[in-house]
Amino acid sequence: SQKIEQNSEALNIQEGKTATLTCNYTNYSPAYLQWYRQDPGRGPVFLLLIRENEKEKRKERLKVTFDTTLKQSLFHITASQPADSATYLCALRMTTDSWGKLQFGAGTQVVVTP
Amino acid sequence: DAGVIQSPRHEVTEMGQEVTLRCKPISGHDYLFWYRQTMMRGLELLIYFNNNVPIDDSGMPEDRFSAKMPNASFSTLKIQPSEPRDSAVYFCASSLGSRAEGNQPQHFGDGTRLSIL
């Protein structure tokens, strides 16, 4: 069966360090992968998208890698700040799925302490 | 710019009652999505529309759930009759379509927290 796995345990990290989150998937052939941020009581907010033929994408302090051989995406927050504390979700669309059908991982909570 | 607007933000009702959730997508977006989020199952796609037409409703849990999009600026998700297991946060999202790339980000509202007693 299809599965998306993200670290279930919260990631506690000190301000200024790099946070690294993983998103592993099985039995998918994703056309692309997206990362979202979700704050308590709010809806997810889009951060980055990476396509199956891209290895790496950057946006300010964020970096995403995509390894279709390992079936894994890594999400990095460099020089982390307390304001980066949130839950981060990865989402995939299978090439065989209808265009709008994103499937989300359960998310990883990040806590950045001063 | 106004984002996706959902109402109500909170709804508490008794089992068996009809519940209607409302969504106003971002103007100009031609895709609209309804999701449900719970601790146990995470964020699940229920149904989505393109140009007001339902495209994929395979995530709708059962016949008690229905969704409509009468025009480009309004959609409803209805549960009738409601049950305690329907308690969750329901999100609406919208996006621009891109047939060539199919990779537009989705913009979410802040959800409706539904509690069925």
Side-chain angles (χ1 to χ4, degrees), chain B residues 9-103:
Chain B
R9 285 300 313 276
H10 303 272
E11 175 90 10
V12 180
T13 191
E14 292 189 347
M15 186 175 83
Q17 296 297 308
E18 178 178 290
V19 173
T20 300
L21 311 181
R22 297 173 176 79
C23 175
K24 177 179 169 56
I26 293 173
S27 177
H29 283 189
D30 53 351
Y31 281 81
L32 182 139
F33 308 83
W34 283 101
Y35 289 87
R36 177 171 69 177
Q37 188 173 42
T38 61
M39 288 293 293
M40 287 295 294
R41 299 176 66 90
L43 192 62
E44 304 173 282
L45 177 66
L46 300 177
I47 184 171
Y48 77 92
F49 296 82
N50 175 218
N51 292 324
N52 315 337
V53 176
I55 301 300
D56 188 331
D57 65 355
S58 58
M60 294 287 263
E62 48 196 277
D63 292 345
R64 296 184 298 106
F65 286 69
S66 63
K68 292 182 179 179
M69 192 164 185
N71 57 62
S73 58
F74 183 66
S75 177
T76 60
L77 178 67
K78 190 172 292 188
I79 309 172
Q80 166 64 17
S82 57
E83 295 183 5
R85 62 193 167 118
D86 301 330
S87 298
V89 181
Y90 290 80
F91 288 104
C92 176
S94 69
S95 75
L96 285 169
S98 173
R99 291 187 187 278
E101 296 183 334
N103 59 6

Side-chain angles (χ1 to χ4, degrees), chain A residues 48-62:
Chain A
L48 279 167
L49 177 149
I50 188 164
R51 297 183 184 84
E52 59 180 334
N53 60 351
E54 296 177 319
K55 297 289 186 188
E56 183 179 298
K57 208 76 170 283
R58 291 175 185 261
K59 178 182 175 183
E60 298 172 355
R61 295 183 296 108
L62 307 179

Side-chain angles (χ1 to χ4, degrees), chain A residues 3 36 50 55 75 86 92 103-104:
Chain A
K3 206 172 179 182
Y36 288 77
I50 188 164
K55 297 289 186 188
F75 178 82
L92 287 76
Q103 303 202 42
F104 282 81

Side-chain angles (χ1 to χ4, degrees), chain A residues 10-108:
Chain A
L11 179 64
N12 291 283
I13 192 163
Q14 194 173 15
E15 183 175 9
K17 302 291 187 184
T18 296
T20 298
L21 287 65
T22 60
C23 176
N24 295 301
Y25 57 93
T26 57
N27 296 328
Y28 276 93
S29 295
Y32 58 83
L33 189 148
Q34 299 183 2
W35 283 89
Y36 288 77
R37 168 189 173 135
Q38 187 173 22
D39 292 284
R42 307 297 299 273
V45 174
F46 171 78
L47 296 174
L48 279 167
L49 177 149
I50 188 164
R51 297 183 184 84
E52 59 180 334
N53 60 351
E54 296 177 319
K55 297 289 186 188
E56 183 179 298
K57 208 76 170 283
R58 291 175 185 261
K59 178 182 175 183
E60 298 172 355
R61 295 183 296 108
L62 307 179
K63 185 178 86 170
V64 173
T65 63
F66 195 10
D67 189 326
T68 55
T69 302
L70 291 179
K71 296 186 182 298
Q72 180 181 78
S73 175
L74 298 179
F75 178 82
H76 307 271
I77 307 171
T78 59
S80 58
Q81 303 169 359
D84 295 326
S85 299
T87 296
Y88 293 85
L89 306 164
C90 68
L92 287 76
R93 182 180 78 84
M94 280 187 67
T95 52
T96 53
D97 269 343
S98 56
W99 177 86
K101 191 167 184 175
L102 277 183
Q103 303 202 42
F104 282 81
T108 298

